[in-house]
């Protein structure tokens, strides 16, 4: 799952298509094993954090179920995103699968495939987290994250960077499958790097 293109933003669509296709052809059982192993590694790094902002995975994304369950067992306060009208993200408390609903997203007539918390705590709730786990299709050698192109998490990470000093800023982690690390991703000014990428095969940190 690599790409050596240095083209501008338009080439990201090609890279996304290749990565998504590779996820689809991978056996669900293999994806589940990789996901469980990566979540276990990430739980080890998170340690005894008080608040963690994460996400409820869907489709072929690395399954965050083991991560969310592990955080709840430790008594961690878990926040999950809620998509709002301008593609920004507010946050709500996750207390188990029963605390999530499937809303009809802005501009759509069908329920979203992504479950969301029932009650919103607002856009700024994420600032209380000491870790933020973000979805990603790949991460570049420099730590730049490739998302699905909506820009929601770029806004979140920009908000976090603008609100916290270096010492207080939460750590940003991406969960990936093997082969999705060190992908050449065209860089744009709005792109935000992660601090750590975790796969079933290991962990990569950036300063």
């Amino acid at each position: 799952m690599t790409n050596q293109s240095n083209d501008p933003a338009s080439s990201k669509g090609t890279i996304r298509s290749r990565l998504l296709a590779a996820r689809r052809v991978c056996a669900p059982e293999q994806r589940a094993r990789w996901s469980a192993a990566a979540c276990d590694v990430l739980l080890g790094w998170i340690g005894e954090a008080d608040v963690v902002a994460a996400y409820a995975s869907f489709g072929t994304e690395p399954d965050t179920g083991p991560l969310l369950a592990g955080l709840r067992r430790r008594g961690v306060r878990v926040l999950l995103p809620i998509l709002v009208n301008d593609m920004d993200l507010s946050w709500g408390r996750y207390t188990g699968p029963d605390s999530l609903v499937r809303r009809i997203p802005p501009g759509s007539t069908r329920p979203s495939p992504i479950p969301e918390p029932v009650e919103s705590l607002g856009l700024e709730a994420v600032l209380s987290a000491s870790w933020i786990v973000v979805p990603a299709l790949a991460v570049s050698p420099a730590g730049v994250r490739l998302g699905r192109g909506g820009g929601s998490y770029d806004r979140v990470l920009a908000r976090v960077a603008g609100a916290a000093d270096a010492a207080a800023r939460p750590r940003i982690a991406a969960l990936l499958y093997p082969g999705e690390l060190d992908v050449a991703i065209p860089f744009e000014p709005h792109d935000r790097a992660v601090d750590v990428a975790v796969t079933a095969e290991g962990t990569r940190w950036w300063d």
Side-chain angles (χ1 to χ4, degrees):
M1 297 187 193
T2 59
N3 185 293
Q4 298 303 316
S5 172
N6 289 316
D7 292 340
S10 59
S11 67
K12 286 184 175 180
T14 301
I15 300 172
R16 289 188 183 99
S17 296
R18 293 176 182 174
L19 292 164
L20 287 168
R23 286 183 172 185
R24 287 193 296 269
V25 300
C26 183
E29 296 81 4
Q30 180 64 75
R31 293 200 306 263
R33 287 192 293 269
W34 281 337
S35 298
C39 287
D40 189 56
V41 171
L42 183 53
L43 282 166
W45 286 111
I46 288 175
E48 299 303 320
D50 292 330
V51 182
V52 172
Y55 63 97
S57 56
F58 78 103
T60 58
E61 288 181 335
D63 182 9
T64 58
L67 173 68
L68 300 179
L71 293 172
R72 287 195 65 220
R73 284 194 297 270
R74 296 180 182 180
V76 176
R77 181 180 175 89
V78 179
L79 303 177
L80 297 186
I82 300 170
L83 186 67
V84 297
N85 289 337
D86 59 355
M87 297 299 290
D88 208 339
L89 297 176
S90 67
W91 299 83
R93 179 80 182 273
Y94 174 74
T95 58
D98 291 343
S99 66
L100 302 179
V101 296
R102 296 185 186 274
R103 290 185 172 85
I104 297 177
S108 177
T109 59
R110 297 181 178 180
S112 169
I114 307 173
E116 299 177 331
V118 173
E119 181 180 359
S120 172
L121 301 175
L123 300 177
E124 307 296 319
V126 70
L127 302 178
S128 67
S130 54
W131 281 81
I132 303 175
V133 185
V134 297
L137 290 172
V139 173
S140 79
V144 175
R145 165 190 166 270
L146 179 68
R148 290 181 177 263
S152 297
Y153 278 90
D154 291 323
R155 297 186 186 192
V156 171
L157 299 184
R159 178 175 297 116
V160 170
D165 59 46
R169 186 179 66 81
R171 290 182 170 177
I172 313 301
L175 276 174
L176 301 171
Y177 294 120
E180 296 177 343
L181 185 58
D182 288 337
V183 175
I185 300 170
F187 178 78
E188 297 180 89
H190 64 265
D191 287 332
R192 300 286 167 171
V194 299
D195 298 306
V196 58
V198 180
T199 77
E201 296 177 338
T203 304
R204 176 80 60 81
W205 284 89
W206 291 269
D207 292 334

